Amino acid sequence: MADKETPKRAIILNAAIKVFAEKGYHSCRTLDISKAAEVAYASLYQYFKSKDDILLSIFRDNWNFLLRRMEKIKQSDDSPIDKLMGIFDFIFRSYTQNPDMMKVIIMDVPRLDQFYSPENWKLYNRFFMGLADIFQEGQEKGIFRKDISPIIASYVIYGAVDTTIRQYVYNPEFNHDNFPIEAARNEIMRLLIPGYLSKERTAKAVKRTRKGA
Amino acid sequence: MADKETPKRAIILNAAIKVFAEKGYHSCRTLDISKAAEVAYASLYQYFKSKDDILLSIFRDNWNFLLRRMEKIKQSDDSPIDKLMGIFDFIFRSYTQNPDMMKVIIMDVPRLDQFYSPENWKLYNRFFMGLADIFQEGQEKGIFRKDISPIIASYVIYGAVDTTIRQYVYNPEFNHDNFPIEAARNEIMRLLIPGYLSKERTAKAVKRTRKGA
Amino acid sequence: MADKETPKRAIILNAAIKVFAEKGYHSCRTLDISKAAEVAYASLYQYFKSKDDILLSIFRDNWNFLLRRMEKIKQSDDSPIDKLMGIFDFIFRSYTQNPDMMKVIIMDVPRLDQFYSPENWKLYNRFFMGLADIFQEGQEKGIFRKDISPIIASYVIYGAVDTTIRQYVYNPEFNHDNFPIEAARNEIMRLLIPGYLSKERTAKAVKRTRKGA
Amino acid sequence: MADKETPKRAIILNAAIKVFAEKGYHSCRTLDISKAAEVAYASLYQYFKSKDDILLSIFRDNWNFLLRRMEKIKQSDDSPIDKLMGIFDFIFRSYTQNPDMMKVIIMDVPRLDQFYSPENWKLYNRFFMGLADIFQEGQEKGIFRKDISPIIASYVIYGAVDTTIRQYVYNPEFNHDNFPIEAARNEIMRLLIPGYLSKERTAKAVKRTRKGA
DNA sequence: AATGAATGAGGTTTCATTCAT
DNA sequence: GATGAATGAAACCTCATTCAT
């Protein structure tokens, strides 16, 4: 934590992710964040305007990262199915690597009234629009059904991921051992993308995606 | 509001739905609820233990209503596709008739830390399990793919609805006129249920479901 | 409790004594009293003006009873020592028979700000004045030291009883078995009244006092 | 009040003593305390956990001070009578110097339900045990009657002081001018301690006690 | 007389943010 | 830039009392 290398802004953000994930945004106090970050209480306010701003910064930083990754995938010459696969793969890997961050993005960010500002919606929607673009590309190539509007498809795709991860994070009755998150990912793909079938193809797509990271 | 017929508990609950939907659970004060309900402040606390309890009562009452409806649909002799259709139809109609209530269920309830109690999870999961049962029935009848676990399918189905309604409620960039909610419903069905195609069949199923209400 | 014979006022008063003794005046609610009395909530207010009034009624009723008893003892032809003995005996017997009542009188009544009204002080002081009268009689008869003002003596006498009973009621470290309350009473007599010695005399005085009841 | 030298904790405590003495613990609001202390409202809660904690801190601080003083007196080579005299003198002088504090200790502290915790009883009882030790020393030296248990004697001694001060504080019918508190102190000594007689001896003991402070 | 639902005033405490060092 | 003590607004809930039946 008290990492001299890491800039203090990042230290605070990482600590906040941990604390938000543990207690929830509304239930934790700014004092908890400063303690977890091992910085002075008032230091928070030298790097962020407010508690809100910390949470929204977490969203913005990570969402922008996601968007950049999506952009790369979109511009690749993979098939639409592999593109979707690449995005799914990225999200689920993010969850595996940093479940706290994902928890915060999925649960705490949409909780915040201030999240629903035009600027944030714009950023938020860019992801849905990207998904829609890929879906539309698939429609044009005759891979996906044409009687579905791409934007609705993007909601369904995101909703599937969102709700599934929510279950992994919160549902105490859910047996994680029997349903490793990677299995869930594959099943969602199968359900949403009729053309998604062979494992070889998937493995190849994933490999390619990772190389491009 | 000051309805002599309606029991006071229901009056409070309806007022709370309105206030929660307008301002959000954390941003509204209990005083706002009592004013909206046109009852004395302390009356809230004769019918509910706390502000939390009001929100969770909204969830419990409506979720139980949803579960009862689902149970009826499950026990009908409709095909699994029509059963899913019936549930979608019920949820989307609920949204149309009482968008505030849906907003509260989708946005405020999962915000509340206290929501994640074993009792609530049990209630919450009964819906997913019901969806999974129908999906499994479809698998056994050879209608749905067998390489998807029913419980994951239920998450995807619910997530599709949840995220879509969320967009209808919150997204200011979203053009409601071009995407009436019924259209969204149909598109989600098409995306998730490969066998769902003909409009006649759907209309028939909906009719039957409504009659059975 | 639901005693048809006992007038309802007395039922409420007895229930209040029990509840006040258990939880303390400030920590119990009027609802607790009505429940313990098995009367309707609002019935309290047909017999008493307020919660305060209930507590003060307990004081007044019992204090008047004590005063009447003291008056009888004063007017007897016992020696001043036996008179004091009679009063001590009455108080300690009251504690043995109804510790809850004594607890309320000693702990809750003086807690109440409203207790310190001129009327109540007048009533309260009549007891001290009675004690002082007896002490003065003893001084005049050459039994007690003359260099002590009777009123101060009355405070000391009452304080001894008050503090001792307080210990019996509240002190968890106090070993009741080793110090039966009667032993305490005798020791206080010995300490305060130099002439108080022989057991026979005491027994006689007690007997006489009881007969006069 | 706004004393830069005095640590803020002490400022708050002194203000609380004043406010509690004036209005009583239950009748005053925490806002009154902060105003009297001329500190910000929330500052109370940086130094104390709660309103209760403020009152109990007043008790603990002053009681510990009393205990330390008693310990010194016990370890002196004064006679048991002079030791008791020293303690009486200290308590009555404390009352003269800070009647508000004494009022709070005698009236408000024992009001508080939370006062009756094992820890507080332990502290409280140390005073009674100290008094009992001195009384027992007097018994062993043949000064006090042996047929009185020291612990009961300690209750009587404390009760005498407690009740007398209570009268000085609260009784409106009591004529303070005719009974200066020092006179009361002497009379209590005469009543409780048969051997206590000569004024010269007393004066000497008091002098010695003060010197040793 | 008896009931219990309805009332609203009032107080403690929390916590994000600022300020003086 | 760093610190942490100081700040005060804001909100939930309790509870004695009244009122309508």
Side-chain angles (χ1 to χ4, degrees):
Chain A
M1 281 298 160
D3 194 338
K4 268 290 177 189
E5 304 290 315
T6 317
K8 197 171 272 196
R9 185 181 183 279
I11 292 174
I12 292 171
L13 243 24
N14 286 328
I17 286 171
K18 200 180 149 196
V19 172
F20 289 159
E22 247 171 54
K23 299 187 156 193
Y25 176 79
H26 276 106
S27 301
C28 84
R29 294 162 302 168
T30 49
L31 183 63
D32 297 328
I33 300 173
S34 69
K35 273 183 182 166
E38 293 179 17
V39 301
Y41 195 13
S43 289
L44 301 185
Y45 292 88
Q46 274 176 339
Y47 293 88
F48 302 95
K49 280 201 292 286
S50 64
K51 192 187 176 189
D52 288 358
D53 189 37
I54 295 178
L55 180 56
L56 292 179
S57 295
I58 292 171
F59 164 68
R60 280 190 294 258
D61 286 8
N62 287 284
W63 204 257
N64 274 318
F65 190 66
L66 167 65
L67 291 177
R68 280 197 297 277
R69 167 58 59 110
M70 190 174 68
E71 211 49 45
K72 248 187 202 149
I73 291 173
K74 271 178 68 180
Q75 287 163 5
S76 75
D77 51 4
D78 284 343
S79 82
I81 287 180
D82 284 341
K83 284 178 177 173
L84 284 182
M85 178 65 201
I87 290 168
F88 271 56
D89 188 59
F90 175 71
I91 295 176
F92 280 97
R93 247 188 311 130
S94 297
Y95 169 72
T96 307
Q97 286 165 10
N98 196 350
D100 282 350
M101 187 266 283
M102 197 62 89
K103 198 173 165 182
V104 171
I105 298 277
I106 285 183
M107 288 302 301
D108 290 296
V109 168
R111 284 180 190 201
L112 191 66
D113 294 323
Q114 237 182 303
F115 170 65
Y116 297 95
S117 72
E119 294 78 25
N120 287 327
W121 264 118
K122 210 164 195 168
L123 192 62
Y124 201 44
N125 281 333
R126 277 180 55 201
F127 177 68
F128 293 104
M129 280 156 60
L131 280 182
D133 287 346
I134 297 175
F135 191 83
Q136 190 167 13
E137 185 195 345
Q139 287 179 317
E140 285 160 3
K141 291 192 174 166
I143 303 174
F144 301 142
R145 291 172 61 146
K146 292 207 171 69
D147 55 355
I148 295 166
S149 66
I151 196 68
I152 294 290
S154 75
Y155 297 158
V156 173
I157 293 168
Y158 179 73
V161 175
D162 177 293
T163 304
T164 303
I165 289 182
R166 217 176 268 222
Q167 294 286 338
Y168 272 83
V169 171
Y170 282 102
N171 192 340
E173 298 188 3
F174 194 80
N175 190 333
H176 289 209
D177 300 330
N178 288 356
F179 291 88
I181 192 92
E182 294 80 15
R185 183 200 59 192
N186 292 337
E187 299 197 353
I188 294 170
M189 292 290 292
R190 276 187 220 120
L191 184 55
L192 293 178
I193 306 169
Y196 172 71
L197 284 172
S198 84
K199 293 184 179 181
E200 294 77 28
R201 182 185 196 168
T202 308
K204 208 174 64 184
V206 169
K207 207 169 149 193
R208 221 177 308 142
T209 316
R210 283 190 181 151
K211 208 162 50 185
Chain B
M1 278 301 156
D3 195 339
K4 266 288 173 190
E5 303 290 314
T6 318
K8 197 170 271 197
R9 194 191 119 96
I11 293 174
I12 293 172
L13 242 25
N14 286 329
I17 284 171
K18 199 180 149 194
V19 172
F20 289 159
E22 244 171 56
K23 299 189 158 191
Y25 176 79
H26 277 106
S27 301
C28 82
R29 292 163 303 161
T30 47
L31 183 62
D32 298 330
I33 301 173
S34 69
K35 277 184 180 164
E38 292 179 19
V39 299
Y41 190 29
S43 291
L44 301 186
Y45 293 89
Q46 272 201 334
Y47 292 89
F48 303 95
K49 281 201 289 285
S50 63
K51 192 185 177 191
D52 286 359
D53 190 35
I54 296 178
L55 181 55
L56 292 179
S57 295
I58 293 171
F59 163 69
R60 280 190 294 257
D61 285 8
N62 287 286
W63 203 257
N64 273 317
F65 190 65
L66 167 64
L67 290 177
R68 278 196 298 277
R69 167 59 59 110
M70 188 174 69
E71 209 51 44
K72 248 186 204 151
I73 292 174
K74 271 178 68 180
Q75 285 164 6
S76 74
D77 51 3
D78 285 344
S79 81
I81 286 179
D82 284 341
K83 284 178 178 174
L84 284 182
M85 179 64 203
I87 291 169
F88 271 55
D89 187 59
F90 175 71
I91 295 177
F92 279 97
R93 244 185 318 129
S94 298
Y95 169 72
T96 306
Q97 286 165 9
N98 196 348
D100 282 349
M101 186 266 283
M102 196 61 91
K103 195 173 167 183
V104 171
I105 297 275
I106 284 183
M107 287 303 300
D108 291 294
V109 168
R111 283 180 194 200
L112 190 66
D113 294 322
Q114 234 183 305
F115 169 65
Y116 297 96
S117 72
E119 293 79 24
N120 288 329
W121 264 119
K122 211 166 192 169
L123 193 63
Y124 202 43
N125 280 333
R126 278 180 54 201
F127 178 68
F128 293 105
M129 280 155 60
L131 280 182
D133 287 345
I134 297 174
F135 191 84
Q136 191 166 12
E137 187 196 342
Q139 287 180 317
E140 283 159 6
K141 292 191 174 166
I143 302 174
F144 302 142
R145 293 174 58 149
K146 292 206 172 70
D147 56 354
I148 295 166
S149 65
I151 197 69
I152 293 291
S154 76
Y155 297 157
V156 173
I157 293 168
Y158 179 74
V161 176
D162 178 291
T163 304
T164 302
I165 290 182
R166 215 175 272 221
Q167 294 287 336
Y168 272 83
V169 171
Y170 281 102
N171 194 341
E173 300 189 1
F174 193 79
N175 189 333
H176 288 210
D177 299 331
N178 290 356
F179 291 90
I181 191 94
E182 294 81 15
R185 184 200 60 190
N186 292 337
E187 299 197 354
I188 295 171
M189 291 291 292
R190 277 186 218 120
L191 184 55
L192 293 179
I193 306 169
Y196 174 71
L197 283 173
S198 84
K199 294 185 179 177
E200 294 76 30
R201 183 191 197 165
T202 309
K204 206 176 62 185
V206 168
K207 206 171 152 196
R208 217 178 312 141
T209 316
R210 282 186 183 155
K211 207 164 48 185
Chain C
M1 281 300 157
D3 195 337
K4 269 289 175 189
E5 304 291 314
T6 317
K8 197 172 269 193
R9 185 180 182 280
I11 292 174
I12 292 171
L13 242 25
N14 286 329
I17 285 172
K18 199 179 149 197
V19 171
F20 289 160
E22 245 171 56
K23 299 186 156 193
Y25 176 79
H26 276 105
S27 300
C28 84
R29 294 162 303 166
T30 48
L31 182 63
D32 298 327
I33 300 173
S34 69
K35 274 185 181 165
E38 294 179 16
V39 300
Y41 195 13
S43 290
L44 302 184
Y45 292 88
Q46 275 175 339
Y47 294 88
F48 301 96
K49 280 200 294 286
S50 64
K51 192 187 178 190
D52 288 357
D53 189 35
I54 296 178
L55 180 56
L56 292 178
S57 295
I58 293 170
F59 163 69
R60 279 190 296 258
D61 286 7
N62 287 284
W63 203 256
N64 274 318
F65 190 66
L66 168 63
L67 289 178
R68 279 197 299 277
R69 167 59 59 111
M70 190 173 68
E71 209 49 44
K72 249 188 202 148
I73 291 174
K74 272 178 67 180
Q75 286 165 5
S76 76
D77 51 2
D78 283 345
S79 81
I81 288 180
D82 283 341
K83 285 178 177 173
L84 284 183
M85 180 63 201
I87 291 168
F88 270 57
D89 188 56
F90 175 72
I91 295 177
F92 279 97
R93 247 187 313 132
S94 297
Y95 169 72
T96 306
Q97 285 166 11
N98 195 350
D100 281 350
M101 187 266 283
M102 196 62 89
K103 199 173 163 183
V104 171
I105 298 277
I106 284 183
M107 287 302 300
D108 290 295
V109 168
R111 284 180 191 200
L112 190 66
D113 294 323
Q114 237 183 302
F115 170 65
Y116 297 96
S117 72
E119 294 78 24
N120 288 327
W121 263 119
K122 210 164 196 171
L123 192 63
Y124 201 44
N125 280 333
R126 277 180 55 201
F127 177 69
F128 292 105
M129 280 155 61
L131 279 182
D133 287 345
I134 297 174
F135 192 83
Q136 190 166 11
E137 185 196 344
Q139 286 179 318
E140 284 159 5
K141 291 192 175 166
I143 303 174
F144 301 142
R145 291 174 62 149
K146 292 206 173 69
D147 56 355
I148 296 167
S149 67
I151 196 68
I152 293 290
S154 76
Y155 297 158
V156 174
I157 292 168
Y158 179 75
V161 176
D162 178 292
T163 304
T164 303
I165 290 183
R166 217 176 269 223
Q167 294 287 336
Y168 272 83
V169 171
Y170 281 104
N171 193 342
E173 298 189 3
F174 194 79
N175 190 335
H176 289 209
D177 300 331
N178 289 356
F179 291 89
I181 192 92
E182 294 81 15
R185 184 199 58 190
N186 291 337
E187 299 197 353
I188 294 171
M189 292 290 293
R190 276 186 218 121
L191 185 54
L192 293 178
I193 306 169
Y196 172 71
L197 282 172
S198 85
K199 293 184 181 180
E200 294 78 27
R201 182 189 198 167
T202 309
K204 208 174 62 186
V206 168
K207 207 171 149 193
R208 220 177 309 140
T209 316
R210 283 188 182 155
K211 210 163 46 186
Chain D
M1 278 299 159
D3 194 339
K4 266 291 175 189
E5 303 289 316
T6 317
K8 194 169 276 196
R9 194 191 117 95
I11 293 173
I12 293 171
L13 243 25
N14 286 330
I17 285 171
K18 199 179 149 197
V19 172
F20 288 160
E22 246 171 56
K23 299 189 157 192
Y25 176 79
H26 277 106
S27 301
C28 82
R29 294 162 301 163
T30 47
L31 183 63
D32 299 328
I33 300 174
S34 68
K35 275 184 181 164
E38 292 179 19
V39 300
Y41 195 22
S43 291
L44 302 185
Y45 293 89
Q46 274 201 333
Y47 292 89
F48 303 95
K49 280 200 289 286
S50 63
K51 194 185 176 191
D52 287 359
D53 190 35
I54 295 178
L55 180 56
L56 292 179
S57 295
I58 293 171
F59 163 69
R60 279 190 295 257
D61 286 7
N62 288 285
W63 203 258
N64 274 317
F65 190 65
L66 167 64
L67 290 177
R68 279 196 298 277
R69 168 58 61 112
M70 188 175 70
E71 209 49 45
K72 248 188 203 148
I73 291 173
K74 271 178 68 179
Q75 285 165 6
S76 75
D77 50 4
D78 283 345
S79 82
I81 287 179
D82 284 341
K83 284 178 178 173
L84 285 183
M85 179 63 201
I87 291 168
F88 272 55
D89 187 58
F90 175 72
I91 294 176
F92 280 96
R93 244 187 314 131
S94 297
Y95 169 72
T96 306
Q97 287 165 8
N98 196 349
D100 282 349
M101 186 267 282
M102 197 61 89
K103 196 174 167 183
V104 172
I105 298 273
I106 284 183
M107 286 303 300
D108 291 297
V109 168
R111 284 181 192 200
L112 191 66
D113 294 324
Q114 235 183 305
F115 170 65
Y116 297 96
S117 72
E119 293 77 25
N120 288 328
W121 264 118
K122 210 166 195 169
L123 193 62
Y124 202 44
N125 281 333
R126 277 181 55 200
F127 177 68
F128 293 104
M129 281 156 59
L131 280 181
D133 287 345
I134 296 173
F135 191 84
Q136 189 167 12
E137 187 195 343
Q139 288 179 316
E140 284 161 5
K141 291 191 174 165
I143 303 173
F144 301 142
R145 291 175 60 150
K146 292 206 172 70
D147 56 355
I148 296 167
S149 66
I151 196 69
I152 294 291
S154 76
Y155 296 158
V156 174
I157 293 168
Y158 179 74
V161 175
D162 178 292
T163 304
T164 303
I165 290 183
R166 217 177 270 219
Q167 295 287 338
Y168 271 83
V169 170
Y170 281 104
N171 193 341
E173 299 188 2
F174 194 80
N175 190 333
H176 288 210
D177 300 331
N178 288 356
F179 291 90
I181 192 93
E182 294 80 16
R185 182 200 62 191
N186 291 338
E187 298 196 353
I188 294 170
M189 291 290 292
R190 277 187 218 119
L191 184 55
L192 293 177
I193 306 168
Y196 172 70
L197 284 172
S198 84
K199 294 185 179 177
E200 294 77 28
R201 184 189 196 166
T202 309
K204 206 175 65 184
V206 169
K207 205 172 152 194
R208 220 177 308 139
T209 316
R210 285 189 179 152
K211 206 163 51 185

